[in-house]
Amino acid sequence: MFYINVWNLIVGLLCENPQLLFEIQNSPFLEKYFPFFSQIENPGKIWGLIILRTWHSPWIIKRKKQYIITFDQGTSIEDIITLLEYCCIAYRQEHQIYSIHWSAISYKDKGILFWGSISGAGKTSLAIKLAQKKNFFFLWDENIYINSNGEILNWVTNISFNKPSLWHFFEKIPWNIQLLHSKQRPQIKIIIQPLVVKWGVLELIERDKIKIKFHIYEELSRRIRWVSRLINNWSIPVKSLDTKALSSNRIKMTSSLTDHILWYTIKWDINVIQKEIEKIILSL
């Protein structure tokens, strides 16, 4: 057995097949899909145990603080890592740590999130452009971790672009992105939904509390429900690990966040949107 760090929660990983553990640890898919996976030697307190076990089909079984991942000969290493990461999502939610698929920056001690339902809405581009301004810092893109206090928990130490559109966008201008190099946990204050277009007029809408609650709860719930996730060459749906207790915690967090944040939808040219965001943030 070895131990993994699931965002400051220590979980044991047990498997009867040492070769399988070796293949998991050395899989390129692990680093790409599960970037916060890290093995440790002196675990201290263990929060849970994940057991890998051969069976007639891939599945996840919950037993108290244990998750049993079953698999057969046709289950790929990528599918096992997918199930492993899903169990870790459940452990995080049990301790009210949530991951959201947004972009994040900070201004001094204030956290600003960029939300968009589709790729290419302008989230990352706006975050990078603003992070070049004084007192603005780029925190993270894609997989952001937040806790029940509404604090952003992770930030990058270096940046590389994996989208051709970002390369093309930023290669034309000089950029000097400011990164956060402290243990500060910015408090979420604003959520921005950018809609970048090249026509029309400026549209700036402050969202009402009911819509904010709906979107936040849905985003916190999306990865734990995960009924759309498929394994075995996209032929078998993954069983949801959501529970009433986890859902109740998300409802409480959603209400708490909604009481303390502003949410704006801003539509027009990316440079105009950037200036409007600066005005909103500096007015706080």
Side-chain angles (χ1 to χ4, degrees):
M1 180 168 67
F2 67 90
Y3 304 94
I4 56 176
N5 188 345
V6 186
W7 199 254
N8 295 327
L9 301 175
I10 310 304
V11 176
L13 181 59
L14 181 62
C15 180
E16 59 191 18
N17 185 345
Q19 179 61 30
L20 176 61
L21 287 179
F22 177 82
E23 292 179 16
I24 291 174
Q25 289 175 281
N26 291 276
S27 170
F29 183 75
L30 178 67
E31 183 177 357
K32 179 181 178 181
Y33 186 77
F34 199 171
F36 295 106
F37 182 100
S38 60
Q39 184 178 348
I40 58 175
E41 295 182 359
N42 301 308
K45 184 176 181 180
I46 301 173
W47 292 92
L49 178 65
I50 299 174
I51 302 172
L52 303 180
R53 182 175 296 168
T54 55
W55 202 35
H56 57 76
S57 63
W59 204 247
I60 299 177
I61 303 168
K62 175 69 184 295
R63 290 181 180 172
K64 295 184 178 179
K65 289 188 176 183
Q66 295 181 1
Y67 286 101
I68 302 173
I69 298 175
T70 66
F71 55 92
D72 56 21
Q73 291 183 345
T75 308
S76 67
I77 292 295
E78 289 79 8
D79 283 343
I80 293 175
I81 292 173
T82 298
L83 296 173
L84 176 62
E85 204 262 347
Y86 189 28
C87 292
C88 291
I89 289 173
Y91 275 125
R92 285 196 297 265
Q93 289 221 4
E94 287 176 10
H95 295 84
Q96 299 185 58
I97 297 174
Y98 304 91
S99 57
I100 54 178
H101 187 73
W102 296 359
S103 298
I105 63 172
S106 68
Y107 174 73
K108 297 183 178 178
D109 61 342
K110 300 177 179 66
I112 301 99
L113 298 178
F114 294 91
W115 174 78
S117 56
I118 60 172
S119 179
K123 303 184 299 293
T124 306
S125 297
L126 278 165
I128 292 174
K129 284 174 70 66
L130 283 164
Q132 299 177 67
K133 299 287 184 176
K134 184 179 179 181
N135 293 323
F136 284 87
F137 297 92
F138 185 87
L139 299 181
W140 203 269
D141 188 46
E142 301 293 342
N143 202 21
I144 299 164
Y145 288 89
I146 61 176
N147 62 17
S148 58
N149 296 321
E151 297 171 326
I152 300 171
L153 302 179
N154 55 327
W155 50 86
V156 298
T157 55
N158 58 75
I159 290 178
S160 63
F161 295 135
N162 61 359
K163 296 180 182 178
S165 59
L166 291 177
W167 273 117
H168 297 325
F169 185 80
F170 286 101
E171 70 180 357
K172 300 175 183 178
I173 59 174
W175 53 277
N176 181 26
I177 303 172
Q178 299 180 94
L179 305 179
L180 191 65
H181 296 291
S182 73
K183 294 185 178 180
Q184 172 187 349
R185 291 181 171 182
Q187 193 88 26
I188 301 169
K189 295 296 183 183
I190 301 175
I191 296 176
I192 302 290
Q193 180 188 11
L195 298 173
V196 177
V197 296
K198 296 182 179 179
W199 47 266
V201 296
L202 173 66
E203 295 183 28
L204 193 155
I205 304 169
E206 182 175 351
R207 294 298 181 184
D208 61 69
K209 298 295 184 182
I210 294 177
K211 287 188 176 181
I212 294 175
K213 282 185 177 181
F214 171 79
H215 285 300
I216 291 178
Y217 179 79
E218 284 298 301
E219 183 62 25
L220 296 180
S221 303
R222 185 169 58 88
R223 299 196 71 196
I224 189 66
R225 288 176 182 166
W226 225 359
V227 291
S228 61
R229 174 63 62 180
L230 304 176
I231 56 175
N232 270 24
N233 198 27
W234 294 84
S235 62
I236 299 176
V238 174
K239 175 186 176 182
S240 173
L241 296 180
D242 200 9
T243 65
K244 183 178 180 179
L246 295 180
S247 180
S248 296
N249 285 338
R250 294 196 303 273
I251 291 171
K252 291 177 184 177
M253 180 175 176
T254 297
S255 297
S256 177
L257 268 179
T258 305
D259 291 339
H260 299 94
I261 64 171
L262 299 171
W263 182 310
Y264 293 93
T265 297
I266 310 177
K267 179 180 179 180
W268 207 17
D269 175 78
I270 190 169
N271 295 310
V272 176
I273 293 177
Q274 177 187 341
K275 291 178 181 178
E276 291 300 317
I277 294 173
E278 290 182 53
K279 290 179 185 177
I280 294 170
I281 294 171
L282 295 175
S283 68
L284 293 179

